[in-house]
């Protein structure tokens, strides 16, 4: 356990990683509030903004902040890789003994950072800022809550109250970049790395500007990726569905043969035949689709594509294209 500055001989540093996507309007306020919250308790810190190619002027804002404050580092990815990849990118570049991740939309209040730090001082390697009540729309809260409950079934070690507002010990954070998956899920990785975690209840504010970047399609895609990447539950479900449909099919066949022998069937039933074809054909396609998702991910992984590529870095004057 690293000591915080002023509490022991070993001075510690804090790295604050912020994945950025279409947030040019919030970055100045986020920077100012973060500085005000962190400076009194940890003078040795850095802020890493990772711009995930949102298409707005976020990178220009990050560059200006980096020029006025040497503690700010800006990293621009070569294309949009997603929030979790951007977060891992920032963590891999961090130099602090602790790494804090926070969103760019001001729904997570920087003023709660000291509360996470105080909890970490109690000896935890991972601290989540969790919400007593979420400020999202009703459909978003319902789908997120349902998905989280399903995730805990698929990944028993996962804290179902996980959020992207986290404080991670360096020894744990440094291992995140070692996971080789084209569909990263930071909290799934963390559940594998440590069970020494705690939670702190924080306020969930309304988004300061614009609308959420997660629509229903993205949330559904993210949910499927988590299930297929981190659990064999879909495969086990496919096996049980296949077994159930086989039992139902055998029962149906036995019933039809029995009625035929007893003379109870005089005319072949078109409706029952079509219903059977549609039912069992649909089940077969569902199972094939599940297999296809796993095979597709195996293909992605075997292609050895990097999790992210950095195109610009405010600490490197020349243009880069690297992982």
């Amino acid at each position: 356990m690293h000591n915080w500055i002023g509490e022991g001989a070993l001075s510690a540093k804090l790295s604050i990683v912020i994945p950025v996507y279409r947030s040019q309007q919030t970055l100045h306020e986020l920077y100012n509030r973060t500085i005000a919250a962190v400076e009194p308790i940890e003078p040795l810190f850095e802020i890493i903004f990772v711009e995930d190619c949102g298409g707005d002027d976020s990178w220009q804002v990050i560059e200006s902040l980096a020029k006025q404050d040497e503690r700010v580092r800006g990293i621009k990815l070569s294309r949009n890789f997603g929030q979790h990849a951007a977060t891992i990118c920032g963590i891999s570049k961090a130099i602090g003994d602790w790494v804090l991740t926070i969103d760019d939309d001001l729904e997570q209040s920087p003023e709660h950072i000291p509360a996470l730090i105080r909890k970490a001082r109690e000896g935890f390697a991972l601290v989540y800022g969790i919400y007593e009540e979420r400020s999202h729309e009703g459909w978003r809260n319902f789908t997120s809550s349902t998905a989280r409950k399903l995730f805990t079934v698929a990944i028993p070690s996962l804290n179902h109250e996980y959020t992207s507002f986290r404080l991670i010990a360096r020894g744990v954070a440094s291992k995140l970049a070692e996971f080789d998956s084209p569909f990263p899920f930071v909290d799934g990785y963390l559940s594998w790395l440590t069970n020494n975690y705690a939670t702190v209840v924080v306020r969930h504010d309304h988004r300061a500007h614009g609308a959420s970047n997660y629509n229903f399609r993205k949330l559904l895609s993210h949910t499927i990726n988590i299930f297929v990447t981190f659990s064999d539950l879909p495969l086990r479900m496919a096996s049980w569905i296949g077994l159930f449909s086989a039992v139902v099919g055998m029962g149906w066949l036995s019933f039809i043969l029995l009625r035929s022998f007893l003379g109870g069937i005089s005319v072949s039933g078109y409706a029952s035949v079509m219903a059977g074809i549609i039912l069992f054909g649909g089940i077969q396609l569902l199972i094939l689709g599940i297999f296809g998702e796993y095979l597709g991910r195996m293909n992605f992984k075997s292609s050895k594509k990097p999790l992210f590529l950095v195109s610009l870095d405010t600490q490197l004057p020349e243009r880069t294209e690297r992982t």
Side-chain angles (χ1 to χ4, degrees):
M1 185 78 177
H2 295 292
N3 294 319
W4 292 91
I5 191 164
E7 294 194 337
L10 178 65
S11 64
K13 297 178 182 178
L14 173 67
S15 295
I16 302 169
V17 174
I18 306 174
V20 176
Y21 186 78
R22 297 180 183 175
S23 296
Q24 65 183 58
Q25 294 178 299
T26 62
L27 292 181
H28 277 291
E29 181 180 350
L30 177 58
Y31 163 78
N32 290 328
R33 290 172 58 182
T34 300
I35 294 293
V38 173
E39 239 175 2
I41 61 169
E42 179 51 80
L44 299 176
F45 69 93
E46 63 173 347
I47 300 176
I48 302 175
F49 291 102
V50 184
E51 208 280 310
D52 197 23
C53 287
D56 63 353
D57 293 329
S58 294
W59 178 246
Q60 285 71 27
V61 176
I62 293 171
E63 282 188 312
S64 67
L65 291 174
K67 289 178 181 178
Q68 74 180 52
D69 190 340
E70 63 182 7
R71 298 170 297 185
V72 174
R73 180 178 182 179
I75 296 173
K76 182 179 177 65
L77 301 185
S78 61
R79 67 169 182 82
N80 178 248
F81 287 91
Q83 180 182 5
H84 289 264
T87 300
I88 292 175
C89 171
I91 291 174
S92 70
K93 311 300 181 185
I95 61 173
D97 293 325
W98 288 85
V99 181
L100 182 130
T101 65
I102 186 171
D103 288 347
D104 59 347
D105 53 15
L106 295 176
E107 289 184 2
Q108 299 164 345
S109 174
E111 287 75 20
H112 290 297
I113 293 176
L116 271 67
I117 294 175
R118 287 193 295 269
K119 194 66 176 178
R121 287 174 178 170
E122 297 177 11
F124 296 101
L126 171 63
V127 180
Y128 280 110
I130 63 172
Y131 317 124
E132 186 173 3
E133 184 177 354
R134 292 175 178 267
S135 63
H136 294 143
E137 296 179 3
W139 72 269
R140 173 80 181 273
N141 288 333
F142 174 76
T143 54
S144 296
S145 175
T146 302
R148 287 168 187 274
K149 291 177 181 177
L150 293 174
F151 292 160
T152 56
V153 175
I155 314 173
S157 60
L158 179 66
N159 172 23
H160 74 280
E161 295 181 303
Y162 70 87
T163 69
S164 53
F165 193 19
R166 355 170 163 79
L167 181 63
I168 316 168
R170 182 67 200 171
V172 174
S174 61
K175 299 295 183 181
L176 289 172
E178 296 181 13
F179 284 88
D180 183 18
S181 171
F183 301 96
F185 177 37
V186 172
D187 302 289
Y189 296 159
L190 290 173
S191 71
W192 285 345
L193 291 170
T194 182
N195 57 7
N196 181 24
Y197 70 87
T199 59
V200 174
V201 177
V202 299
R203 184 178 67 254
H204 192 224
D205 295 329
H206 289 279
R207 189 180 180 91
H209 298 279
S212 172
N213 296 312
Y214 279 99
N215 54 32
F216 180 77
R217 180 183 62 81
K218 288 184 177 180
L219 288 172
L220 179 61
S221 176
H222 180 58
T223 301
I224 292 173
N225 286 337
I226 291 174
F227 268 107
V228 176
T229 304
F230 290 86
S231 172
D232 63 350
L233 181 61
L235 285 176
R236 286 187 276 123
M237 289 176 60
S239 298
W240 283 107
I241 291 172
L243 178 61
F244 175 77
S245 61
V247 171
V248 171
M250 290 298 295
W252 195 343
L253 175 61
S254 300
F255 175 73
I256 293 174
L257 290 175
L258 181 61
R259 288 198 62 188
S260 178
F261 289 147
L262 296 178
I265 298 179
S266 57
V267 180
S268 299
Y270 173 79
S272 61
V273 172
M274 292 304 298
I277 292 174
I278 293 173
L279 172 64
F280 293 109
I283 291 174
Q284 290 174 349
L285 290 175
L286 171 63
I287 294 174
L288 287 174
I290 293 173
F291 290 160
E293 289 288 338
Y294 279 90
L295 289 173
R297 278 153 180 76
M298 291 173 62
N299 179 58
F300 273 114
K301 187 171 182 178
S302 64
S303 67
K304 299 296 182 181
K305 294 178 181 177
L307 181 59
F308 56 83
L309 286 173
V310 175
S311 64
L312 293 172
D313 189 328
T314 57
Q315 291 190 359
L316 300 174
E318 72 278 5
R319 183 177 180 86
T320 63
E321 284 288 345
R322 58 194 180 91
T323 56

